[in-house]
Amino acid sequence: MHIDDVKKVCVVGAGAMGSQIALNTALYGYRVTLTDISREVLQKAEQWAAEYLAGRVAKGKMTAEKEVEARENLLFVPDLREAAADADVVIEAVVEKLDVKRQLFAELDAICPPRTILATNSSTIVSSKIADATKRPDRVVNMHYFNPALVMELVEVVQGPHTSEETAQVIMELSRRTGKIPILLKKEISGFVANRILGAVIREACFLLEQGIATHEEIDLAVEKALRYPMGPFRLMDLTGIDVSYLVRAQRFAESGLEEDRPPKPIEEKYKAGEWGKKTGKGFYDYRK
Ligand SMILES: NC(=O)c1ccc[n+]([C@@H]2O[C@H](COP(=O)([O-])OP(=O)(O)OC[C@H]3O[C@@H](n4cnc5c(N)ncnc54)[C@H](O)[C@@H]3O)[C@@H](O)[C@H]2O)c1
């Protein structure tokens, strides 16, 4: 398949990532169907997209014509078969569970024409763990966006040993044509590049905290003011959820057994205390005031 043959994209999973990936793709002129197993989630995504577009127009950041075009391009389709039947590319953004993704890819393989590329937005699962659930492993690939997908420019495209060069190149070009800056990883690794580097920063920050070298406030300040990260590691974990930070590491450690993957003590303690950050009112910082 050539990139010019890609006209229709189906996004499966209308949660935090899928809804934004779908709208972003529609804004660049592709016909997009968004689907979800939950009708309620799909309705919420439809409402959110309408409000987002209207808000951009009200602020003068988008023309009314562009809003109409995006709304026409993006369809919310509860039925998976209907949503995916004639898609050229499917981007999967459902829950981070291997068995759910494998089952879904097997269904998509049966629904979609042979040309269709099946991409996963998973943050940790490499596509070779999913590809053999289909009869088209050469068309299975990782396409990893960052949150919020409308804003964040990087896309990590990961070519598994089974992924064809053509598939990798179509997904690289689709990323570019939808306003993103992609990088191509020719070797699979869980977590890919950006999140692994972030993981290393968080690990070192936790080590310094545990050793009593600096407080979490001081470490955040050092990272923000000297390294110029927009947010220090503790502030970031409070925002994204310490439960998520802990569970991702615990799962990776259970799989690899590598000491570097073990959840750091400060994260484990916060997780077990139910202090998961902003969502619970307290994490490394206190938000209850
Ligand atoms: N949240 C992030 O920061 C982030 C960043 C990059 C990648 N990801 C990856 O994106 C994927 C989705 O994450 P999210 O944060 O959007 O999750 P989310 O929980 O917000 O949304 C997941 C959606 O998938 C739906 N779903 C579950 N099973 C389904 C099925 N069989 N068919 C159709 N829909 C189904 C759920 O109803 C839910 O609406 C995960 O693989 C995650 O690793 C997340």
Side-chain angles (χ1 to χ4, degrees):
M1 192 196 294
H2 187 267
I3 182 64
D4 292 337
D5 300 326
V6 178
K7 310 268 185 234
K8 192 184 153 194
V9 175
C10 168
V11 179
V12 187
M17 294 305 291
S19 54
Q20 296 219 2
I21 294 169
L23 181 54
N24 184 69
T25 309
L27 280 167
Y28 282 89
Y30 287 90
R31 285 192 298 125
V32 181
T33 51
L34 178 61
T35 187
D36 197 288
I37 206 165
S38 155
R39 290 213 173 208
E40 198 191 329
V41 169
L42 196 59
Q43 274 166 4
K44 275 196 187 143
E46 185 165 7
Q47 197 181 340
W48 165 81
E51 284 169 8
Y52 172 85
L53 292 169
R56 300 290 287 174
V57 175
K59 283 185 201 144
K61 300 208 161 155
M62 187 184 286
T63 62
E65 292 75 42
K66 185 83 191 159
E67 180 193 10
V68 171
E69 187 195 315
R71 291 188 71 148
E72 281 172 2
N73 280 343
L74 179 53
L75 298 179
F76 299 83
V77 183
D79 182 60
L80 178 68
R81 182 169 291 275
E82 204 185 310
D86 60 344
D88 303 304
V89 173
V90 177
I91 304 171
E92 168 274 311
V94 307
V95 282
E96 189 70 344
K97 287 191 180 151
L98 180 59
D99 55 338
V100 176
K101 291 189 192 280
R102 284 183 62 89
Q103 168 72 31
L104 177 62
F105 271 67
E107 277 176 57
L108 289 168
D109 192 40
I111 293 171
C112 298
R115 69 171 191 281
T116 309
I117 292 175
L118 306 179
T120 174
N121 177 52
S122 171
S123 288
T124 58
I125 301 170
V126 292
S127 75
S128 59
K129 291 201 172 170
I130 304 174
D132 66 344
T134 75
K135 293 191 193 75
R136 63 181 85 197
D138 59 315
R139 281 181 205 138
V140 178
V141 65
N142 286 90
M143 183 184 197
H144 183 230
Y145 288 80
F146 290 81
N147 192 9
L150 271 167
V151 178
M152 301 295 275
E153 286 179 290
L154 188 72
V155 169
E156 293 170 327
V157 180
V158 189
Q159 187 174 4
H162 50 85
T163 312
S164 72
E165 188 62 30
E166 184 181 294
T167 297
Q169 290 308 330
V170 168
I171 295 302
M172 287 292 285
E173 192 52 29
L174 178 62
S175 306
R176 290 189 197 102
R177 291 191 184 186
T178 51
K180 301 300 173 196
I181 299 173
I183 58 169
L184 178 58
L185 279 60
K186 292 257 180 191
K187 213 169 161 184
E188 291 187 327
I189 187 164
S190 173
F192 321 128
V193 172
N195 283 340
R196 290 192 72 90
I197 289 174
L198 175 64
V201 170
I202 290 176
R203 202 159 58 238
E204 189 64 20
C206 286
F207 169 77
L208 294 171
L209 181 67
E210 250 188 287
Q211 296 296 311
I213 308 292
T215 65
H216 63 273
E217 290 99 335
E218 289 166 333
I219 296 168
D220 276 349
L221 275 178
V223 171
E224 288 160 14
K225 302 301 172 198
L227 304 182
R228 296 220 169 180
Y229 284 29
M231 211 180 280
F234 297 106
R235 235 185 289 282
L236 180 64
M237 280 190 282
D238 271 7
L239 186 68
T240 52
I242 292 168
D243 53 331
V244 178
S245 289
Y246 175 76
L247 293 171
V248 165
R249 283 171 176 77
Q251 192 188 332
R252 193 177 288 173
F253 180 59
E255 276 172 22
S256 75
L258 292 173
E259 207 42 46
E260 69 197 58
D261 289 338
R262 185 192 289 281
K265 273 232 171 58
I267 298 179
E268 187 175 17
E269 282 166 12
K270 288 285 169 197
Y271 175 74
K272 290 192 171 154
E275 295 176 357
W276 294 352
K278 277 200 164 161
K279 65 171 92 166
T280 61
K282 190 171 189 292
F284 291 101
Y285 295 86
D286 198 335
Y287 303 91
R288 292 168 300 185
K289 291 156 232 147

